[in-house]
Amino acid sequence: MRLTITTTSQDLASVLSAQGIKLDLRCGGRGICGRCRVFLLSGAWFIDNVRHTVSPSAPLSALACRCRLATGSGDIEVPDSSRSETSIQASSSWSSRPLPINHGIAIGIDLGTTTIAAVKVVNGIPVAEASCFNRQNAFGDNVLTRIQKAGDTAGLDLLRRAAVDSINDALAQLGAEDVTSLAIAGNTVMSCLLHGIDPTPIGTLPFTPPCRVFPTRPARDLGLNAPGDVLTMPAISGYVGGDLTAGLNEVKLGSDEMLVDIGTNCEIIFNLGDGRLVCTAAAAGPAFEGAGLSCGCRANHGAIDHIAADGTFTVIGGDDVQPHGLCGSAMVDFLAMGQASGRLNQFGRFQPSAPSLTLAPGIVITEKDIEQILKAKAAVRAGIETLAQHCGIAPRKIFLAGGFAQYLDLANAIAIGMLPPGDHVLVGNTSLGGAARLAAQPESLPALIELSNQPRELALNTLENFENAYIDALML
Ligand code: FES
């Protein structure tokens, strides 16, 4: 897309946003993620406060969040790959007990850092689903960038309103005029932001959340377009949120069973028996969501989601869809195939040596990309192993929650050492399931608060062996 820009008072990303052109601002405009890249074709521009004069014969590549028109007008080109995705299919299924019969109309909402999923339930039966992006993505793609943004009153209010607007998008899809109860589950930062609570303490040691139990309030007081009250799933700790409380309630872990929710933050709860629960969180980073990878993308239309041993691949949307990138599950497959064929050595380096591999026209995998996935899978495995070793018990069964896990080829995840061998069960979006159950059974909130008080949190960086387990798990 080519455009002529005439506004000099704002950075280019803001100018484009005002014109309805949304860029992928994953790092919140901090110049880190490189996703908002545009081409300056003409005009005078400031890039990182240094003035450049651009002529059509020598266009400049620049980050829209870091440049501003200096004077007059300037032409630019915005590549499709720099634009924010506008549609999303968030994971909205979960496997669990039947929902309780309730003669009202309940809506459960999973307020994720990236996406929002919602389900409408009538008499215990899900009758409609909705999903959309979290509008907070414009302020960065992970909870740390959101915490930074929320550090002042204006930023906090922007994020609160973005969360409210996103939930209203989902409510509009479902039709919420007749809803009798509404419940929301999310990580602790998302829940704080929705309630206008500054999450800053979660971003610094000892990561104490400013709030774990959130008030039940009229939905309209929060700005939500629905009648009745909105209930919020209580959080366990700063980095083990209400989404995991919901999962714990859905899965009902038996002795020696573990619940693992793989995302940017990998949250783990382990049932040691006799009512003893421990939990922790490992920072896996955003690579599983495609961030930081040369051709990475989320699991959306046009994403390569699986790669077979012969190098063929499948694309979300069907074989006729032109792939635009690779999502995390495809990278897991790629590592497993590379390991099995000897194309990758144990350090994730190409054999014979090569800087990158072209999977499809315009879609390459570099050694740097492989390194990012190795770090992410090492965090997951080291979190599981360190917690198990500390407790002196090997998990008998691991329940895998979350949208990313649903796309995983489990055999490949085990082959690359991301998961230990054993009994694994995919349970889907238990955060959404738990929210729907709470909405259908609002009187269960006190029991959920009690449940959220049970797990004892263990900080991985204080546990012996975490560092060694992480280094070991970096290998293929
Ligand atoms: S580099 Fe511009 S938003 Fe990340």
PDB file of all heavy atoms in Angstrom, residues 24-37 63-66, ligand 1:
ATOM      1  N   ASP A  24       1.537  -3.683  12.988  1.00  0.00           N
ATOM      2  CA  ASP A  24       1.860  -4.664  14.022  1.00  0.00           C
ATOM      3  C   ASP A  24       2.826  -4.002  15.008  1.00  0.00           C
ATOM      4  O   ASP A  24       4.015  -3.890  14.744  1.00  0.00           O
ATOM      5  CB  ASP A  24       2.507  -5.884  13.355  1.00  0.00           C
ATOM      6  CG  ASP A  24       2.767  -7.008  14.333  1.00  0.00           C
ATOM      7  OD1 ASP A  24       2.678  -6.770  15.552  1.00  0.00           O
ATOM      8  OD2 ASP A  24       3.062  -8.124  13.877  1.00  0.00           O
ATOM      9  N   LEU A  25       2.293  -3.527  16.126  1.00  0.00           N
ATOM     10  CA  LEU A  25       3.111  -2.790  17.104  1.00  0.00           C
ATOM     11  C   LEU A  25       3.378  -3.687  18.310  1.00  0.00           C
ATOM     12  O   LEU A  25       2.992  -3.384  19.436  1.00  0.00           O
ATOM     13  CB  LEU A  25       2.395  -1.503  17.526  1.00  0.00           C
ATOM     14  CG  LEU A  25       2.030  -0.546  16.393  1.00  0.00           C
ATOM     15  CD1 LEU A  25       1.209   0.622  16.917  1.00  0.00           C
ATOM     16  CD2 LEU A  25       3.269  -0.028  15.690  1.00  0.00           C
ATOM     17  N   ARG A  26       4.023  -4.796  18.066  1.00  0.00           N
ATOM     18  CA  ARG A  26       4.167  -5.799  19.114  1.00  0.00           C
ATOM     19  C   ARG A  26       4.916  -5.315  20.334  1.00  0.00           C
ATOM     20  O   ARG A  26       4.668  -5.762  21.445  1.00  0.00           O
ATOM     21  CB  ARG A  26       4.915  -7.018  18.577  1.00  0.00           C
ATOM     22  CG  ARG A  26       4.128  -7.766  17.578  1.00  0.00           C
ATOM     23  CD  ARG A  26       4.862  -8.980  17.125  1.00  0.00           C
ATOM     24  NE  ARG A  26       4.083  -9.595  16.071  1.00  0.00           N
ATOM     25  CZ  ARG A  26       4.080 -10.878  15.813  1.00  0.00           C
ATOM     26  NH1 ARG A  26       4.819 -11.680  16.526  1.00  0.00           N
ATOM     27  NH2 ARG A  26       3.347 -11.353  14.847  1.00  0.00           N
ATOM     28  N   CYS A  27       5.905  -4.451  20.125  1.00  0.00           N
ATOM     29  CA  CYS A  27       6.701  -4.029  21.289  1.00  0.00           C
ATOM     30  C   CYS A  27       6.197  -2.704  21.839  1.00  0.00           C
ATOM     31  O   CYS A  27       6.861  -2.090  22.671  1.00  0.00           O
ATOM     32  CB  CYS A  27       8.178  -3.956  20.943  1.00  0.00           C
ATOM     33  SG  CYS A  27       8.594  -2.610  19.825  1.00  0.00           S
ATOM     34  N   GLY A  28       5.024  -2.282  21.366  1.00  0.00           N
ATOM     35  CA  GLY A  28       4.453  -1.056  21.902  1.00  0.00           C
ATOM     36  C   GLY A  28       5.155   0.192  21.393  1.00  0.00           C
ATOM     37  O   GLY A  28       5.151   1.223  22.051  1.00  0.00           O
ATOM     38  N   GLY A  29       5.775   0.090  20.212  1.00  0.00           N
ATOM     39  CA  GLY A  29       6.414   1.271  19.626  1.00  0.00           C
ATOM     40  C   GLY A  29       7.740   1.605  20.269  1.00  0.00           C
ATOM     41  O   GLY A  29       8.150   2.765  20.279  1.00  0.00           O
ATOM     42  N   ARG A  30       8.433   0.601  20.791  1.00  0.00           N
ATOM     43  CA  ARG A  30       9.722   0.864  21.441  1.00  0.00           C
ATOM     44  C   ARG A  30      10.908   0.596  20.514  1.00  0.00           C
ATOM     45  O   ARG A  30      12.050   0.631  20.942  1.00  0.00           O
ATOM     46  CB  ARG A  30       9.837   0.027  22.716  1.00  0.00           C
ATOM     47  CG  ARG A  30       8.835   0.491  23.787  1.00  0.00           C
ATOM     48  CD  ARG A  30       9.001  -0.260  25.089  1.00  0.00           C
ATOM     49  NE  ARG A  30       8.824  -1.680  24.881  1.00  0.00           N
ATOM     50  CZ  ARG A  30       9.556  -2.616  25.469  1.00  0.00           C
ATOM     51  NH1 ARG A  30      10.521  -2.269  26.282  1.00  0.00           N
ATOM     52  NH2 ARG A  30       9.327  -3.888  25.240  1.00  0.00           N
ATOM     53  N   GLY A  31      10.622   0.260  19.254  1.00  0.00           N
ATOM     54  CA  GLY A  31      11.705   0.058  18.295  1.00  0.00           C
ATOM     55  C   GLY A  31      12.462  -1.237  18.492  1.00  0.00           C
ATOM     56  O   GLY A  31      13.602  -1.364  18.041  1.00  0.00           O
ATOM     57  N   ILE A  32      11.851  -2.214  19.144  1.00  0.00           N
ATOM     58  CA  ILE A  32      12.555  -3.454  19.469  1.00  0.00           C
ATOM     59  C   ILE A  32      12.156  -4.601  18.538  1.00  0.00           C
ATOM     60  O   ILE A  32      12.995  -5.359  18.075  1.00  0.00           O
ATOM     61  CB  ILE A  32      12.260  -3.861  20.936  1.00  0.00           C
ATOM     62  CG1 ILE A  32      12.821  -2.805  21.890  1.00  0.00           C
ATOM     63  CG2 ILE A  32      12.848  -5.232  21.253  1.00  0.00           C
ATOM     64  CD1 ILE A  32      12.390  -3.005  23.328  1.00  0.00           C
ATOM     65  N   CYS A  33      10.866  -4.731  18.262  1.00  0.00           N
ATOM     66  CA  CYS A  33      10.391  -5.946  17.586  1.00  0.00           C
ATOM     67  C   CYS A  33      10.618  -5.920  16.078  1.00  0.00           C
ATOM     68  O   CYS A  33      10.674  -6.959  15.433  1.00  0.00           O
ATOM     69  CB  CYS A  33       8.910  -6.174  17.882  1.00  0.00           C
ATOM     70  SG  CYS A  33       7.822  -4.958  17.114  1.00  0.00           S
ATOM     71  N   GLY A  34      10.730  -4.749  15.485  1.00  0.00           N
ATOM     72  CA  GLY A  34      10.982  -4.654  14.050  1.00  0.00           C
ATOM     73  C   GLY A  34       9.783  -5.002  13.181  1.00  0.00           C
ATOM     74  O   GLY A  34       9.916  -5.172  11.972  1.00  0.00           O
ATOM     75  N   ARG A  35       8.579  -5.099  13.774  1.00  0.00           N
ATOM     76  CA  ARG A  35       7.414  -5.547  13.002  1.00  0.00           C
ATOM     77  C   ARG A  35       6.716  -4.408  12.267  1.00  0.00           C
ATOM     78  O   ARG A  35       5.851  -4.660  11.444  1.00  0.00           O
ATOM     79  CB  ARG A  35       6.395  -6.233  13.928  1.00  0.00           C
ATOM     80  CG  ARG A  35       6.953  -7.351  14.753  1.00  0.00           C
ATOM     81  CD  ARG A  35       7.496  -8.487  13.943  1.00  0.00           C
ATOM     82  NE  ARG A  35       6.486  -9.180  13.189  1.00  0.00           N
ATOM     83  CZ  ARG A  35       6.596 -10.444  12.795  1.00  0.00           C
ATOM     84  NH1 ARG A  35       7.671 -11.132  13.088  1.00  0.00           N
ATOM     85  NH2 ARG A  35       5.649 -11.013  12.098  1.00  0.00           N
ATOM     86  N   CYS A  36       7.026  -3.168  12.584  1.00  0.00           N
ATOM     87  CA  CYS A  36       6.283  -2.047  11.985  1.00  0.00           C
ATOM     88  C   CYS A  36       7.064  -1.418  10.824  1.00  0.00           C
ATOM     89  O   CYS A  36       6.896  -0.243  10.527  1.00  0.00           O
ATOM     90  CB  CYS A  36       5.971  -1.004  13.054  1.00  0.00           C
ATOM     91  SG  CYS A  36       7.438  -0.241  13.745  1.00  0.00           S
ATOM     92  N   ARG A  37       7.891  -2.213  10.159  1.00  0.00           N
ATOM     93  CA  ARG A  37       8.787  -1.678   9.139  1.00  0.00           C
ATOM     94  C   ARG A  37       8.011  -1.160   7.917  1.00  0.00           C
ATOM     95  O   ARG A  37       7.059  -1.792   7.451  1.00  0.00           O
ATOM     96  CB  ARG A  37       9.780  -2.763   8.703  1.00  0.00           C
ATOM     97  CG  ARG A  37      10.916  -2.251   7.846  1.00  0.00           C
ATOM     98  CD  ARG A  37      12.049  -3.259   7.802  1.00  0.00           C
ATOM     99  NE  ARG A  37      12.697  -3.433   9.091  1.00  0.00           N
ATOM    100  CZ  ARG A  37      13.581  -2.583   9.613  1.00  0.00           C
ATOM    101  NH1 ARG A  37      13.916  -1.489   8.944  1.00  0.00           N
ATOM    102  NH2 ARG A  37      14.124  -2.827  10.776  1.00  0.00           N
ATOM    103  N   LEU A  63      11.505   1.948  10.786  1.00  0.00           N
ATOM    104  CA  LEU A  63      10.442   1.511  11.691  1.00  0.00           C
ATOM    105  C   LEU A  63       9.464   2.668  11.865  1.00  0.00           C
ATOM    106  O   LEU A  63       9.870   3.775  12.252  1.00  0.00           O
ATOM    107  CB  LEU A  63      11.033   1.103  13.043  1.00  0.00           C
ATOM    108  CG  LEU A  63      12.022  -0.063  12.995  1.00  0.00           C
ATOM    109  CD1 LEU A  63      12.643  -0.302  14.370  1.00  0.00           C
ATOM    110  CD2 LEU A  63      11.330  -1.326  12.495  1.00  0.00           C
ATOM    111  N   ALA A  64       8.188   2.408  11.587  1.00  0.00           N
ATOM    112  CA  ALA A  64       7.200   3.493  11.627  1.00  0.00           C
ATOM    113  C   ALA A  64       7.104   4.118  13.010  1.00  0.00           C
ATOM    114  O   ALA A  64       6.806   5.300  13.146  1.00  0.00           O
ATOM    115  CB  ALA A  64       5.834   2.955  11.195  1.00  0.00           C
ATOM    116  N   CYS A  65       7.365   3.323  14.043  1.00  0.00           N
ATOM    117  CA  CYS A  65       7.253   3.864  15.405  1.00  0.00           C
ATOM    118  C   CYS A  65       8.431   4.761  15.753  1.00  0.00           C
ATOM    119  O   CYS A  65       8.405   5.454  16.767  1.00  0.00           O
ATOM    120  CB  CYS A  65       7.127   2.730  16.420  1.00  0.00           C
ATOM    121  SG  CYS A  65       8.605   1.705  16.579  1.00  0.00           S
ATOM    122  N   ARG A  66       9.476   4.743  14.929  1.00  0.00           N
ATOM    123  CA  ARG A  66      10.678   5.511  15.250  1.00  0.00           C
ATOM    124  C   ARG A  66      10.910   6.644  14.267  1.00  0.00           C
ATOM    125  O   ARG A  66      11.968   7.264  14.277  1.00  0.00           O
ATOM    126  CB  ARG A  66      11.926   4.609  15.250  1.00  0.00           C
ATOM    127  CG  ARG A  66      11.799   3.360  16.062  1.00  0.00           C
ATOM    128  CD  ARG A  66      11.592   3.619  17.524  1.00  0.00           C
ATOM    129  NE  ARG A  66      12.722   4.267  18.148  1.00  0.00           N
ATOM    130  CZ  ARG A  66      12.785   4.585  19.436  1.00  0.00           C
ATOM    131  NH1 ARG A  66      11.747   4.343  20.209  1.00  0.00           N
ATOM    132  NH2 ARG A  66      13.851   5.148  19.937  1.00  0.00           N
TER     133      ARG A  66
HETATM  134  S1  FES B   1       9.643  -1.790  16.352  1.00  0.00           S
HETATM  135 FE1  FES B   1       7.955  -0.523  15.992  1.00  0.00          FE
HETATM  136  S2  FES B   1       6.416  -1.428  17.166  1.00  0.00           S
HETATM  137 FE2  FES B   1       8.102  -2.681  17.573  1.00  0.00          FE
END
